[in-house]
Amino acid sequence: MTTTAPAERPLALALAVDVGGTKAEAALVDADARLVPGTRFRAPTGSGSSREQIADAVSQVVRQATAALPTGAQLLGAGIGSAGPIDAERGTVSPLNLATFQRYPLRDLVAEASGLPDPVLRLDGLCILLAEHWAGALQGYRTAMGMIVSTGIGGGLLVEGRLVGGRTGNAGHVGQIQLHMHESEGRDHSVTLEGIAAGPRIVAWANAQGWEGSSGEELAESYRNGHPLARAAVERSANAIGEGIASVGALLDLEAVAIGGGFSRVTPDLFDLIRARITAMAPLDTIPGVKVLPSALSDEGPLIGAGGLVHRAELLP
């Protein structure tokens, strides 16, 4: 008697989309938290881009990634991580660093470009947290925070084993916690963690002190060469990040924080400086026990997390 071998199940993939202050990216992510080779695409955004240019960049990378679907594979759905604030219910985004992209219907745009119904939209900080909890530095922790330190500063929260979304989907937006009192009426982003410690802000601060470089990469090189203003700038960023983590730790009794993003790699010293600031300034003796860890996923984390919105939907709020 002959038997027929069972048919192999098709490879199940998620379309992952990440929209930030300098670029839009898309890739296909498998159920083991891996980007499928040959499916990752990037296009620039940036504060000088028009609303239409940013939308075109997102559509471009989404279409490129979906067109790269391997033969025999199937797409389960789409996950989107975006700089915030977002409106998870309406599917719109209003990134602070993209002034022309306010209240943009990003979920509808990705659905149209990909042909996939009902994409899942969440804050990019929550995506980085999901990625680190799923396959990175935060595996095994139950109360933790993921952070992105780059053009802006974003975050996501895990509390007692569950991701936290909040009333509007913006829980964990650690970059917008205030570290100083306002000195004028109205909003003042210069007193927030992001306003002090994000890459472009700390470069601008160094310029105001007399440093002559123009980018985070140049600041990193100056730091390696011992330039005193570059070192002061990195220490300023680390101090603000440490104080921000201490503030969140006072509220949530954090076990660990994983930090990724381009500016988090300005120097390996950054993490020691952050830890030292927490130890020196934390208002409770219990807070310095928090582990401060570099991302284990490098620049793939935001896309892995966006894919996790589909593959690990059971973790979502």
Side-chain angles (χ1 to χ4, degrees):
M1 182 177 65
T2 60
T3 58
T4 302
E8 291 187 7
R9 291 183 178 180
L11 180 64
L13 303 175
L15 171 66
V17 183
D18 177 57
V19 180
T22 58
K23 67 184 184 306
E25 286 195 289
L28 303 182
V29 178
D30 68 19
D32 294 316
R34 296 175 301 201
L35 302 190
V36 178
T39 70
R40 183 178 185 178
F41 298 91
R42 174 183 297 183
T45 56
S47 59
S49 299
S50 70
R51 190 175 177 89
E52 293 74 21
Q53 287 172 325
I54 299 169
D56 287 345
V58 175
S59 295
Q60 173 187 324
V61 297
V62 167
R63 291 192 177 103
Q64 288 173 317
T66 52
L69 182 69
T71 302
Q74 65 175 356
L75 283 177
L76 299 178
I80 311 163
S82 174
I86 67 170
D87 187 322
E89 181 178 353
R90 291 183 173 85
T92 62
V93 301
S94 300
L96 291 175
N97 294 309
L98 294 175
T100 63
F101 211 55
Q102 303 301 292
R103 294 178 294 281
Y104 194 90
L106 182 60
R107 184 169 61 200
D108 290 346
L109 176 70
V110 171
E112 179 181 356
S114 67
L116 295 168
D118 302 320
V120 182
L121 170 66
R122 292 293 188 273
L123 202 63
D124 57 357
L126 184 140
C127 290
I128 191 72
L129 168 68
L130 173 53
E132 296 293 342
H133 182 57
W134 180 17
L138 296 177
Q139 294 179 80
Y141 291 105
R142 288 185 54 78
T143 300
M145 180 167 66
M147 290 183 69
I148 299 170
V149 180
S150 187
T151 306
I153 294 180
L157 296 172
L158 177 80
V159 178
E160 297 298 333
R162 295 287 294 180
L163 301 181
V164 179
R167 176 173 55 87
T168 64
N170 290 287
H173 217 149
V174 67
Q176 304 314 312
I177 64 173
Q178 294 178 189
L179 299 184
H180 298 288
M181 292 288 291
H182 284 222
E183 295 183 357
S184 59
E185 295 297 323
R187 292 182 178 178
D188 182 0
H189 291 296
S190 72
V191 303
T192 66
L193 174 56
E194 179 176 284
I196 296 169
R201 307 308 200 284
I202 210 66
V203 167
W205 180 87
N207 289 152
Q209 311 310 307
W211 180 72
E212 297 181 351
S214 61
S215 68
E217 291 80 8
E218 289 179 82
L219 190 70
E221 182 178 0
S222 291
Y223 183 94
R224 288 192 298 270
N225 292 334
H227 194 297
L229 289 177
R231 288 188 169 269
V234 171
E235 289 171 7
R236 177 179 171 84
S237 180
N239 288 345
I241 294 167
E243 291 179 24
I245 290 172
S247 295
V248 177
L251 290 175
L252 296 179
D253 200 12
L254 293 169
E255 298 173 75
V257 178
I259 306 176
F263 197 76
S264 74
R265 297 187 287 275
V266 66
T267 169
D269 295 347
L270 183 71
F271 286 82
D272 287 335
L273 293 168
I274 292 170
R275 297 180 190 112
R277 190 64 168 184
I278 294 171
T279 298
M281 303 299 293
L284 300 173
D285 290 341
T286 56
I287 294 171
V290 63
K291 292 182 172 63
V292 180
L293 309 167
S295 166
L297 303 172
S298 189
D299 64 349
E300 294 185 351
L303 286 169
I304 291 172
L309 297 175
V310 176
H311 288 301
R312 299 302 306 274
E314 76 279 2
L315 295 175
L316 299 184

